[in-house]
Amino acid sequence: MSNLIADRGLRPLELPGGDHTAIGVASAISPDERESLADLLRALPGVSNVVHVSRPYKLASREFHAASTLVRLGDIVIGGNALTVMAGPCAIESRDQLLEAAHAVKASGAAVLRGGAFKPRTSPYSFQGLQKDGLKLLRDIGRETGLATVTEVIDPHDVDLVAAHADMLQIGARNMQNYSLLVAAGRSRKPVLLKRGPSATIDEFLFAAEYILHEGNDQIVLCERGVLPLDRTYTRNTLDVSAVPVLKEITHLPVIVDPSHATGHAHYVPAAALAAIAAGADGLIVEVHPDPRHALSDGQQSLTPAAFDALMDAVARVADAVDRRADWAATG
Ligand code: PEP
Ligand code: MN
């Protein structure tokens, strides 16, 4: 089938699913050509359905791929019934800091350790992260604690380096439309955590995911992290909680929420996190620091280990109410 598509000078893209493989034709195609190709494909053995995807982002759309995509980090499955929580400091500051955070978030039920090694900071005078040394700490502490790891990559040339040290590449809000970074992350075949830009529409967000999908990488988790607020007096951003059910409807990719950057204040993080789970998010990414007051970045929005532990109990209760599994509560 892919050959028949390629023979016409079009590009077939295969997305394997549970019991069938979706093959996309993500090239510009005239309506006449589309109909004749659809007829030919429909007649092939093994073809159950040919659909015309009306959304402009073809590969990201549920019309193209009806089943929810599961993103796997080793044994961890994101996007199924079970919720996944990623947690850890905004920035990796030292071995002791990351190790303490890792033990704490693991004990409370997080499955993935977050921590920035390359930090995109508004000011060039702010802490830029431990960079390569930070990546090594993340890799080592991930192994020591048995946690999967996610960390941000900000430069396309660093994708291979970051991919060699972490289980998942984070593309941050500021880089959501850095197309060469999206392409490089797609080519890496590593799972990608794609954060929504603070002023990106949902369509722009899905087009960014489309760049990664177009390189043949469907291991993408979307992250809503708050959009530009009307007023920064009380919160850093505004959590677009309604983006969660919208995205769950129009794309097959898993959706998680970052309540830390959405609110900017530790005190508001639990409410935003619980709202996200109630709205249907597949998980959370939360900033947790052993000593938030002395954090080198985002301390004001970082939870203490104790506050994170209480949040995880509350998340499990909301999960139960919306028929989602919170496996940490079952075992802990
Ligand atoms: C972060 O996760 O620390 C971060 C910088 O997030 P965002 O890209 O959403 O601002
Ligand atoms: Mn941060």
Side-chain angles (χ1 to χ4, degrees):
M1 175 167 174
S2 289
N3 290 347
L4 202 148
I5 296 167
D7 286 349
R8 297 190 157 215
L10 303 170
R11 186 158 166 220
L13 285 154
E14 298 192 14
L15 281 196
D19 49 6
H20 69 284
T21 296
I23 302 183
V25 184
S27 318
I29 182 169
S30 72
D32 285 354
E33 199 182 2
R34 192 175 69 182
E35 286 314 321
S36 79
L37 180 61
D39 289 344
L40 268 177
L41 295 175
R42 231 175 248 122
L44 290 179
V47 173
S48 65
N49 199 10
V50 177
V51 289
H52 298 306
V53 177
S54 58
R55 303 247 184 227
Y57 29 84
K58 306 293 174 193
L59 304 171
S61 118
R62 256 202 211 272
E63 289 171 317
F64 169 57
H65 195 267
S68 293
T69 288
L70 302 177
V71 173
R72 294 173 197 277
L73 308 183
D75 295 341
I76 301 161
V77 179
I78 308 171
N81 184 260
L83 300 177
T84 305
V85 177
M86 310 182 183
C90 178
I92 298 164
E93 299 168 7
S94 68
R95 183 177 160 80
D96 286 352
Q97 173 245 18
L98 188 63
L99 191 61
E100 202 177 329
H103 281 305
V105 302
K106 181 167 181 170
S108 300
V112 183
L113 176 63
R114 67 150 286 151
F118 292 100
K119 292 306 302 175
R121 302 304 297 277
T122 301
S123 161
Y125 307 116
S126 300
F127 177 56
Q128 302 288 310
L130 296 181
Q131 312 205 349
K132 277 189 194 171
D133 292 340
L135 290 179
K136 288 193 193 120
L137 289 174
L138 185 67
R139 178 196 60 197
D140 293 350
I141 290 173
R143 282 185 190 153
E144 272 174 60
T145 56
L147 287 163
T149 55
V150 58
T151 194
E152 182 163 356
V153 56
I154 58 182
D155 184 325
H157 300 106
D158 288 335
V159 164
D160 290 343
L161 175 75
V162 176
H165 288 82
D167 298 303
M168 186 175 216
L169 305 174
Q170 174 174 329
I171 295 189
R174 294 165 180 80
N175 274 311
M176 189 206 82
Q177 287 178 314
N178 179 338
Y179 298 116
S180 49
L181 184 60
L182 297 171
V183 167
R187 291 191 179 153
S188 79
R189 296 289 195 277
K190 271 272 174 179
V192 177
L193 177 65
L194 178 64
K195 300 187 88 174
R196 180 180 180 185
S199 56
T201 64
I202 285 180
D203 281 358
E204 287 165 342
F205 191 19
L206 291 174
F207 275 124
E210 190 81 3
Y211 268 86
I212 302 170
L213 285 159
H214 195 249
E215 296 303 320
N217 185 357
D218 72 341
Q219 294 292 286
I220 305 167
V221 174
L222 301 173
C223 179
E224 159 59 37
R225 44 75 76 204
V227 291
L228 284 184
L230 283 177
D231 155 13
R232 281 224 155 91
T233 315
Y234 301 103
T235 60
R236 182 174 177 181
N237 289 290
T238 296
L239 175 60
D240 183 1
V241 77
S242 55
V244 176
V246 171
L247 287 166
K248 290 298 296 178
E249 182 177 17
I250 62 182
T251 176
H252 50 89
L253 298 172
V255 179
I256 70 166
V257 165
D258 173 347
S260 308
H261 293 86
T263 59
H265 297 278
H267 181 64
Y268 301 137
V269 165
L274 298 180
I277 298 305
D282 296 302
L284 300 166
I285 181 164
V286 184
E287 288 187 338
V288 178
H289 194 288
D291 182 8
R293 271 191 297 193
H294 295 101
L296 296 184
S297 83
D298 285 350
Q300 75 294 342
Q301 67 192 33
S302 298
L303 298 187
T304 60
F308 179 66
D309 195 62
L311 172 60
M312 289 295 272
D313 284 347
V315 168
R317 291 196 296 275
V318 174
D320 195 43
V322 294
D323 295 324
R324 299 294 296 259
R325 264 169 42 220
D327 290 340
W328 62 88
T331 55

